[in-house]
Amino acid sequence: MTTDIVSQYQGIYIAMYSAYDEAGNVDQDRVRKLARYYVGKGVKGLYVGGSSGEGILQNVEERKQVLEAVMEEVKGELTIIVHVGANSTREAVELSKHAEKFGADIISAVPSIYYRLPETAVETHWQHMIDSTNLPFIIYNIPQTTGFTLSTSLLAKLAKQDKVIGVKMSGESTFELQQYKETGGSQFIVFNGPDEQFLAGRIMGADGGIGGTYGVMPELFVKLNSLFIGNRIEEAQVLQTKINGIIKKLLGYPSLYGACKYILSLRGIETGAPRLPLLPVRPEHHASLAELNKEIEETVAHYTGV
């Protein structure tokens, strides 16, 4: 690994949402507009095709369409991490090669899901992606959805490879996050996954964060990160608590992504409804979401002066 890997990639990455037309098809114009919306917000980059982006609910061609639109719009302006995880190793490798072809900066992947695979099978799955391109690779650990928990022994083995530069830790244990950082070493980058414990993750060794709710309040996570860097921990705790109140409200709707996408629509960023089985918000939720959007905007103004 290069000696500057952490400084090169640390920071705030938005787990970018899907963008569909009214018929539920990928809309590249809407993808481009959404990507452009995040330029100038102070974030380091975008994580494309992950949980928030509904990559698992899209076919390979749709995932390619999304990435191509993102790269056309913001290549060189934001760092782009592409989630290439798929049940089939063959499809994951195809997506990996496509990401390299279109100029993505990093690829990342969850294990194959549905089958309860032994660790050797997960390692083989990831290794095929790692070997298929010259891009850096970030392991995506999210055991609550995949049923697989990354062991420190497997992480240590994979981290010996120059192309394996980090892990997106979306498990809920900051102890495990700290263990991953210790195992990987000072130049192995760890991204905090759970938005509601961003500050806790940073305190325990995370080098930045990748999150879905960042998409409706990126300025607040950028500010939270700057407070941590400035060692203004008490102020950071107050802001994390405020953010968590917003997250709790978002989680009260039929789907988190449906709520976030509706809030963006109030700002003129249309991304369509989430793809079933993820549920859209219902008309009776519109008024309360408008109030929540107002709360977010007022909080952003308070903390940023904008």
Side-chain angles (χ1 to χ4, degrees), residues 16-17 26-28 31-32 35 46-49 58-75 79-84 94-107 135:
M16 186 173 166
Y17 307 128
V26 169
D27 187 321
Q28 290 187 304
V31 172
R32 283 187 281 267
L46 303 175
Y47 190 90
V48 179
Q58 297 169 356
N59 63 39
V60 169
E61 291 309 312
E62 288 177 313
R63 293 172 73 172
K64 289 179 179 180
Q65 289 169 18
V66 171
L67 178 61
E68 289 169 22
V70 170
M71 299 310 298
E72 287 168 6
E73 186 67 30
V74 299
K75 182 179 179 180
T79 298
I80 305 300
I81 306 174
V82 185
H83 177 250
V84 297
E94 181 179 348
L95 288 165
S96 299
K97 291 179 178 179
H98 177 265
E100 183 174 42
K101 177 182 178 181
F102 281 87
D105 298 286
I106 304 171
I107 56 173
L135 295 177

Side-chain angles (χ1 to χ4, degrees), residues 48-50 62 67 113 128 130 138 153 165 167 184 190 208 222 235 258 275 281 286-287 292 296:
V48 179
E62 288 177 313
L67 178 61
I113 59 174
H128 274 78
I130 295 164
I138 290 176
S153 59
I165 65 167
V167 59
V190 175
V222 169
E235 293 175 70
R275 179 165 287 180
V281 294
H286 292 178
L292 183 53
I296 293 170

Side-chain angles (χ1 to χ4, degrees), residues 197-252:
Q197 58 188 48
F198 175 85
L199 178 60
R202 286 291 266 139
I203 288 171
M204 295 308 296
D207 302 292
I210 300 171
T213 64
Y214 298 11
V216 293
M217 46 183 166
E219 303 92 341
L220 297 184
F221 281 95
V222 169
K223 180 64 175 182
L224 181 56
N225 192 49
S226 70
L227 290 173
F228 170 78
I229 292 171
N231 201 33
R232 297 159 64 184
I233 303 302
E234 290 186 4
E235 293 175 70
Q237 184 180 12
V238 170
L239 178 52
Q240 179 76 78
T241 300
K242 179 63 177 175
I243 288 171
N244 285 0
I246 294 169
I247 292 174
K248 184 176 181 180
K249 291 176 182 178
L250 287 168
L251 291 171

Side-chain angles (χ1 to χ4, degrees), residues 3-20:
T3 56
D4 65 346
I5 200 71
V6 170
S7 60
Q8 185 177 356
Y9 293 120
Q10 67 186 163
I12 300 297
Y13 291 77
I14 295 169
M16 186 173 166
Y17 307 128
S18 61
Y20 304 122

